[in-house]
Amino acid sequence: MTVLNWLAPQRFREQTVASTFEEAVEWVERRLPHRGVVLRQLLDEARAKSR
């Protein structure tokens, strides 16, 4: 997070901790609608590559 704050200090102001991936996606979608689709796609791709 420190490096991200150096690179884009205004972009990473709000942070949270979530118990599950879905909870985290819901938090993101409340702030950035439609980003959940991208996050779920990235998770699916990561899972497919780990097989």
Side-chain angles (χ1 to χ4, degrees):
M1 287 306 300
T2 300
V3 171
L4 294 175
N5 285 325
W6 289 340
L7 297 173
Q10 301 301 317
R11 195 161 175 174
F12 299 99
R13 282 191 176 183
E14 204 173 353
Q15 300 174 22
T16 191
V17 175
S19 298
T20 65
F21 178 80
E22 283 304 318
E23 185 180 309
V25 170
E26 289 173 14
W27 184 85
V28 169
E29 285 186 325
R30 285 194 296 273
R31 286 144 186 83
L32 301 166
H34 311 295
R35 294 293 175 134
V37 173
V38 174
L39 296 173
R40 287 182 184 95
Q41 183 179 16
L42 288 170
L43 178 62
D44 290 343
E45 289 176 16
R47 285 180 172 160
K49 289 180 180 180
S50 70
R51 295 180 188 153

